[in-house]
Amino acid sequence: MCGIVGYVGREKVDTVLLNALSRLEYRGYDSAGIATLGSGTITILKESGKLSNLRKLVQEHPVSGQLGIGHTRWATHGEPNQKNAHPHADPEKKVALVHNGIIENHAELKVRLMEAGYVFQSDTDTEVLVKLIEKYHIKMGQTLEESVKQAIREIRGTYAFCVISALEPGKFIAARKGSPLVVGLGQGENFIASDAPALIDYTRDVIFLEDDQMVILTQDGVRVSTTSGREISPVVTRIDWDAKAASKEGFDHFMLKEIEEQPQVIERIYASRLAQGPNKSIFDVLNFDEKELIQTERLIIQACGTSWHAALTAKFLFENLAGIPTEVDVSSEFRYRGLLPQKNTQVLSITQSGETIDTLMGLRQGKEKGFKTLAVCNVLGSTIARESDGVIFTHAGPEIGVASTKAYTAQIGVLFALSLFWGKVRGRLSEARCSELKEEFRRLPEKMQTVIGRKELVRHTAQKFYEARDFLFLGRGINYPNAYEGALKIKEIAYIHATGHPAGEMKHGPIALIDEKMPVVCIVTESVVYEKMVSNIQEVRARKGRVIALASDGDEAIKAHAEEVLYVPKCDEALSPLLTVLPLQYLAYYVAVLRGTDVDQPRNLAKSVTVE
Ligand code: M6R
């Protein structure tokens, strides 16, 4: 979490930094700050709360200069207040630094530095890094580069940081280990940021730094090396992006825009993965023998949050369509689980950001134990994409709303295509069934558009229930992960307590929660478990629960069992989660809007969770 940026060039530094930070605010919004260097002096402006507070401060105190660094914070060590906001500096403001990550040995370093007479001004772990650089650079007169290397030798933990020095104007230094950093290359200007979309308005040529690398940036060039001093010839990647994709384009919220982009996301997946396939080109990166891929006999999927829900959905697809036994774990558990060696088994990570630390550590544990690692990922150049042996990019475009929507459907979309590929090459899926499923997928965008056309009905339902204290979400079969997803969406953006359950589990405990006030959202679309689901709904009704049914078009009978019915077009059960999730996303969205919460930047959350 936390976003960092840096700029050196000819533009007004505050404008560039604030603009780049505005694209990183999804990484945290507890405080924001900038440090700029002009006429040999460092100026620091920082404020608690969102970036808008910092903007005001910058307007009141204009800064000069063409070099600076910036930060948007998701608090870990120290309260989210002005004192703990980055940048942090030495008392004389000779060096200033922004940091993303956690310095794990900060407590012992702090004791040592305090004993040596250094006075700390904040409660952050970051400040030890400033003090170390101050010690070597200011007190002992080493170069900034040497001081950074020396400080890195003493810290443990994860970091992406960026530092400027009044003693060496015209340059800044950045380094990474465990937290992402991207260098942006311009003409007479260079940039750094936690991720590439932050630089969308300035350049398309980027270098993704690796762990244990550092970079020195000046107006005219960048020099990359390892933190132990070996020069690196970096690979420059040209990113094919569209600045429009990272703007709201007239929508009230990014989340709403991203919900409504889902038909195009699925259309793109059909065109790129299925229209001429499925075949092995489904993988954008495949660094191992195709035979090994085809011989996959077992899958272990690991992911967090919404991506974990996509993994649970994929288990049905891989087992039912491809005949591959599949285990699913949340990454934070997977990484500490004793993983037994298994033949022809791949570890598949699912992640929108490609930076979630738990998922990254899970991937690394898979590698260590000798498994081939696959990833489904949205962000090009992200750490998980770079470290996995095979990658499928979801190409959902930048997802800015903290609540994941289009990345989720994109994940399920490519996982579906992968299950067809495996089903075919393993002889588990007939040509006829494969064609039928492809055709169903091709028709999905139109059906999604139909659901989008019915959003007013969901808004009406939201109006009826938005004051509820709790919500329950129930589903069965391939739609039970969507019950989890519906609950997660409403928790994270509307701040309403909600839980999702496989409906058959109700009678084992959660049914005790039901009374005449409890809204229970039941996914009851056409499926092999339809009758069972109707029985579960009746159990809810018998306890006076308020049923909101999500049903297939034409199901008139369900009206007898529900207070509200939201319909979605009929489709093959294997693909139904891609339709049933839409009303769930809208429901959370409208409930949140009615409750007046901050939809795109809900409290306490960050888009990219890079701390354990
Ligand atoms: O970037 P990732 O897919 O790895 O992120 C995983 C979760 O942090 C993420 O899905 C989170 O649960 C979202 N806020 C859900 O909307």
Side-chain angles (χ1 to χ4, degrees):
M1 357 267 268
C2 297
I4 67 175
V5 296
Y7 175 72
V8 53
R10 299 192 187 95
E11 298 294 319
K12 262 190 102 253
V13 65
D14 52 344
T15 313
V16 179
L17 293 177
L18 288 172
N19 184 31
L21 283 177
S22 71
R23 301 220 186 262
L24 289 182
E25 220 187 349
Y26 72 84
R27 297 177 70 88
Y29 28 84
D30 287 332
S31 64
I34 58 172
T36 60
L37 180 54
S39 322
T41 318
I42 291 179
T43 307
I44 296 182
L45 294 172
K46 54 188 187 177
E47 199 51 282
S48 62
K50 297 202 168 175
L51 190 61
S52 50
N53 297 353
L54 175 66
R55 269 189 203 288
K56 246 186 259 155
L57 191 69
V58 174
Q59 264 162 19
E60 289 159 11
H61 303 88
V63 292
S64 60
Q66 271 102 27
L67 183 147
I69 55 180
H71 189 268
T72 179
R73 180 167 188 244
W74 188 85
T76 56
H77 294 62
E79 271 180 47
N81 55 23
Q82 207 261 359
K83 178 180 78 171
N84 293 327
H86 299 219
H88 293 286
D90 66 299
E92 307 277 300
K93 294 213 184 78
K94 295 285 182 223
V95 289
L97 178 144
V98 290
H99 165 227
N100 164 211
I102 294 178
I103 312 292
E104 283 165 7
N105 58 339
H106 69 100
E108 59 187 79
L109 287 172
K110 190 167 176 174
V111 171
R112 224 180 65 200
L113 287 158
M114 284 170 75
E115 279 167 5
Y118 289 88
V119 178
F120 282 75
Q121 286 149 359
S122 76
D123 311 316
T124 64
D125 54 325
T126 301
E127 211 180 343
V128 295
L129 194 46
V130 181
K131 299 291 177 209
L132 287 172
I133 295 174
E134 177 189 346
K135 173 176 153 189
Y136 295 113
H137 184 48
I138 311 291
K139 299 258 160 53
M140 295 168 63
Q142 296 185 14
T143 62
L144 184 61
E145 181 178 350
E146 266 317 309
S147 310
V148 164
K149 285 182 185 156
Q150 186 61 41
I152 285 174
R153 275 181 223 127
E154 293 179 43
I155 55 173
R156 257 197 341 264
T158 55
Y159 54 80
F161 69 84
C162 211
V163 58
I164 55 175
S165 162
L167 306 186
E168 295 185 21
K171 72 156 74 129
F172 64 90
I173 298 185
R176 79 158 270 184
K177 183 189 185 105
S179 303
L181 263 190
V182 183
V183 177
L185 304 171
Q187 299 289 325
E189 56 181 359
N190 288 302
F191 309 80
I192 200 122
S194 293
D195 72 20
L199 307 177
I200 209 162
D201 294 321
Y202 304 103
T203 181
R204 278 151 204 254
D205 294 324
V206 299
I207 298 167
F208 294 105
L209 283 196
E210 306 280 346
D211 274 356
D212 300 312
Q213 288 185 350
M214 60 188 280
V215 57
I216 302 179
L217 299 96
T218 60
Q219 223 179 323
D220 304 315
V222 302
R223 180 158 65 82
V224 182
S225 66
T226 62
T227 48
S228 52
R230 186 168 47 83
E231 293 292 315
I232 302 275
S233 305
V235 178
V236 178
T237 307
R238 191 160 176 82
I239 300 209
D240 181 19
W241 55 26
D242 169 12
K244 241 177 45 187
S247 72
K248 280 195 210 152
E249 289 182 75
F251 284 87
D252 287 346
H253 297 97
F254 278 109
M255 182 181 176
L256 186 60
K257 177 189 165 215
E258 287 158 6
I259 291 175
E260 301 195 1
E261 281 172 353
Q262 291 176 105
Q264 290 86 58
V265 169
I266 293 298
E267 211 167 271
R268 280 202 297 273
I269 291 173
Y270 177 80
S272 59
R273 316 284 178 192
L274 286 174
Q276 314 298 327
N279 51 43
K280 77 167 171 70
S281 68
I282 194 161
F283 278 88
D284 298 288
V285 175
L286 193 60
N287 291 329
F288 62 96
D289 192 352
E290 187 196 338
K291 262 199 226 131
E292 246 184 285
L293 183 71
I294 292 171
Q295 281 163 1
T296 301
E297 275 169 16
R298 196 170 193 85
L299 270 174
I300 305 173
I301 317 185
Q302 56 113 14
C304 304
T306 289
S307 298
W308 175 60
H309 302 157
L312 293 170
T313 310
K315 177 178 164 69
F316 284 86
L317 298 172
F318 290 137
E319 294 192 337
N320 296 348
L321 303 179
I324 302 181
T326 304
E327 289 170 38
V328 178
D329 247 341
V330 282
S331 304
S332 51
E333 292 301 324
F334 173 74
R335 60 171 297 201
Y336 293 111
R337 164 152 90 84
L339 193 54
L340 301 173
Q342 291 175 61
K343 231 178 92 214
N344 295 336
T345 301
Q346 334 278 6
V347 170
L348 168 61
S349 312
I350 305 179
T351 170
Q352 187 286 130
S353 61
E355 300 295 348
T356 302
I357 197 80
D358 289 324
T359 313
L360 176 60
M361 294 305 173
L363 154 69
R364 288 180 180 165
Q365 111 125 334
K367 280 196 131 169
E368 263 165 39
K369 298 271 169 77
F371 292 88
K372 285 283 176 302
T373 53
L374 306 175
V376 164
C377 181
N378 195 38
V379 179
L380 300 180
S382 58
T383 310
I384 291 174
R386 282 180 296 120
E387 292 193 14
S388 300
D389 301 314
V391 187
I392 307 180
F393 287 109
T394 45
H395 294 302
E399 190 180 64
I400 313 281
V402 164
S404 187
T405 51
K406 63 175 179 173
Y408 179 59
T409 42
Q411 288 166 347
I412 297 176
V414 300
L415 291 162
F416 172 80
L418 182 57
S419 69
L420 291 197
F421 164 72
W422 263 323
K424 247 180 72 177
V425 295
R426 291 165 52 84
R428 299 296 291 236
L429 205 58
S430 68
E431 271 305 327
R433 178 70 176 136
C434 187
S435 305
E436 184 181 83
L437 285 167
K438 268 173 62 175
E439 178 55 16
E440 274 284 309
F441 194 91
R442 191 187 66 77
R443 295 174 57 204
L444 265 181
E446 195 188 322
K447 294 182 184 180
M448 290 175 124
Q449 211 56 62
T450 303
V451 184
I452 291 172
R454 296 174 184 169
K455 66 182 171 189
E456 267 307 298
L457 298 171
V458 190
R459 200 172 64 82
H460 175 80
T461 305
Q463 221 140 19
K464 210 163 155 187
F465 293 96
Y466 78 97
E467 286 174 313
R469 215 191 53 179
D470 310 275
F471 266 84
L472 288 181
F473 290 78
L474 305 181
R476 289 189 86 116
I478 197 165
N479 271 295
Y480 95 77
N482 265 356
Y484 289 178
E485 179 60 6
L488 177 62
K489 290 287 93 95
I490 219 156
K491 274 188 277 209
E492 67 179 336
I493 64 166
Y495 314 151
I496 297 179
H497 172 254
T499 52
H501 303 274
E505 275 293 294
M506 279 299 283
K507 54 190 177 292
H508 300 290
I511 202 162
L513 294 168
I514 294 177
D515 62 15
E516 69 287 352
K517 293 201 190 96
M518 179 70 88
V520 187
V521 181
C522 302
I523 309 169
V524 59
T525 41
E526 275 183 354
S527 75
V528 290
V529 284
Y530 175 84
E531 301 292 342
K532 303 263 179 243
M533 190 64 212
V534 172
S535 301
N536 296 139
I537 291 179
Q538 276 162 344
E539 290 155 16
V540 173
R541 291 290 277 173
R543 276 121 192 127
K544 299 199 167 43
R546 302 182 66 184
V547 173
I548 303 163
L550 252 175
S552 301
D553 277 351
D555 183 357
E556 290 299 314
I558 200 69
K559 288 184 177 161
H561 308 299
E563 186 173 333
E564 294 284 323
V565 183
L566 298 168
Y567 286 105
V568 297
K570 292 183 183 192
C571 79
D572 193 288
E573 190 181 349
L575 289 167
S576 59
L578 290 168
L579 290 181
T580 57
V581 76
L582 286 164
L584 300 176
Q585 294 168 342
Y586 274 127
L587 183 66
Y589 174 76
Y590 286 123
V591 167
V593 169
L594 286 160
R595 290 170 75 101
T597 60
D598 189 337
V599 171
D600 285 333
Q601 295 179 340
R603 69 185 178 203
N604 306 340
L605 292 175
K607 183 82 183 156
S608 182
V609 184
T610 54
V611 292
E612 292 179 54

